[in-house]
Amino acid sequence: MRADILTIFPGFFRGPLDHGITRRACEMGLAEIQVHDLRGFTHDKHRTVDDRPFGGGEGMVLKPEPLFECLDTLQLAPREDRVARRVKQSVILLSAQGQRFTQKVAAELATLDRVVLICGRYEGVDERVADFLADRELSIGDYVLSGGEMGAAVIIEAVTRLLPGAVGNEASTRQESFTADVERDSEGPDSTCGSGGLLDYPHYTRPAEFRGIPVPEVLISGNHEEIRRWRRQQALEKTLRNRPDLLDGVALSDEDAKILARIKAGQE
Ligand code: SAM
């Protein structure tokens, strides 16, 4: 996959994308990340990228010309083909007003060949960019950041680790929080508890006892069926406690429903 980032702060990306799985994916040729400085697409001596808003109001707005000109150089398929999904490309505007970026969207983006991420700044971006240049707007959460760079880095990291081959043990990305459509019990002990859209179960490593705190005994029992059941119960408990909203979208087995009923009864 190739990702192009359009930004007025290209230096921002020196660092966040140079570590761990993202770096490895680039080194392995699974991902290629190009950062484009929007000031390189201006034509005045001050390299102006912003202007005052029509109609008055606070702040400045990112001008459309540098964004359109930069995108012209990227040789993408026409917007109508991208939007109709006739090609595996997507141009994304980072925006607090966008659809929420979720693990599901990350998985969707991981199937594409090209992703372009447009980072807004100031009070936002001239709306013609959302209407005529970008294919979709994505928000990384219900809060307002000063720019889209952080969001672009978040999206690239979440998507890159889903590219086949990027993570050493691919099964691990299928077992994580929010990850639905996982075939449970299909691959032995390693996949004993695909999250199926729940939060992940707790993980422990050595030492088995640390500062007097032991790891749950079941995990050292060697009994895979009990471990699977315990992990599922923990995932259900944590989801109920921290993100009960997720339970609405999860296909619960009879066993899950019984566990949940027991947890809820215990809370009363
Ligand atoms: N006036 C805008 C509003 O109220 O929705 C906020 C603009 S914000 C200060 C500047 C830029 O930061 C946006 O154009 C967008 O690119 C980025 N941004 C801010 N919050 C974001 C979020 N939650 N997710 C993604 N991008 C965000």
Side-chain angles (χ1 to χ4, degrees):
M1 164 186 282
R2 171 166 158 178
D4 292 274
I5 305 172
L6 281 51
T7 173
I8 62 167
F9 292 130
F12 174 94
F13 295 95
R14 267 182 250 119
L17 303 179
D18 291 342
H19 302 276
I21 289 166
T22 310
R23 179 191 180 139
R24 215 171 56 136
C26 291
E27 286 171 353
M28 290 166 75
L30 300 172
E32 181 191 346
I33 302 167
Q34 298 274 345
V35 182
H36 305 272
D37 182 357
L38 288 170
R39 290 192 195 277
F41 297 88
T42 55
H43 304 288
D44 63 314
K45 73 170 186 210
H46 300 294
R47 306 176 86 206
T48 310
V49 289
D50 60 324
D51 206 344
R52 290 191 303 274
F54 278 120
E58 297 303 316
M60 302 295 273
V61 176
L62 200 53
K63 289 161 67 63
E65 303 96 307
L67 290 163
F68 275 79
E69 281 189 32
C70 180
L71 207 88
D72 284 346
T73 67
L74 297 183
Q75 297 180 325
L76 296 171
R79 185 173 186 257
E80 58 270 23
D81 289 340
R82 302 192 312 254
V83 173
R85 300 183 184 205
R86 286 190 284 270
V87 290
K88 292 183 166 188
Q89 302 179 351
S90 189
V91 176
I92 296 162
L93 174 64
L94 275 302
S95 166
Q97 300 146 33
Q99 291 170 331
R100 186 87 60 84
F101 177 66
T102 60
Q103 188 68 17
K104 190 164 174 240
V105 177
E108 205 183 302
L109 297 182
T111 66
L112 302 181
D113 299 328
R114 287 197 72 175
V115 175
V116 177
L117 297 160
I118 301 175
C119 305
R121 276 276 155 181
Y122 312 109
E123 278 310 309
V125 181
D126 186 290
E127 195 67 16
R128 286 166 288 193
V129 171
D131 290 344
F132 298 100
L133 194 66
D135 309 335
R136 66 195 298 183
E137 293 175 76
L138 287 180
S139 162
I140 60 160
D142 291 349
Y143 38 77
V144 177
L145 300 164
S146 303
E149 287 76 11
M150 207 69 93
V154 166
I155 290 177
I156 287 185
E157 173 138 343
V159 171
T160 305
R161 67 197 310 284
L162 297 180
L163 298 176
V167 173
N169 175 8
E170 237 167 79
S172 71
T173 61
R174 284 185 271 126
Q175 282 173 221
E176 289 174 317
S177 299
F178 314 114
T179 308
D181 306 320
V182 174
E183 271 184 43
R184 291 169 61 197
D185 299 337
S186 59
E187 291 167 23
D190 273 357
S191 62
T192 45
C193 200
S195 98
L198 300 177
L199 299 181
D200 198 6
Y201 56 78
H203 302 266
Y204 295 87
T205 186
R206 286 182 288 187
E209 187 173 319
F210 173 68
R211 297 194 175 183
I213 313 164
V215 307
E217 219 176 303
V218 60
L219 295 179
I220 33 185
S221 68
N223 184 328
H224 295 312
E225 177 52 21
E226 275 191 24
I227 292 171
R228 184 195 66 77
R229 240 183 289 138
W230 180 86
R231 285 177 166 169
R232 191 68 183 169
Q233 165 155 352
Q234 294 293 313
L236 283 161
E237 251 179 60
K238 196 158 195 182
T239 307
L240 184 65
R241 187 166 68 241
N242 291 351
R243 291 291 306 275
D245 55 301
L246 293 178
L247 289 171
D248 296 338
V250 172
L252 295 177
S253 65
D254 290 347
E255 184 193 17
D256 291 338
K258 280 186 202 147
I259 297 174
L260 258 185
R262 272 205 308 275
I263 298 169
K264 285 179 179 167
Q267 286 175 344
E268 282 159 12

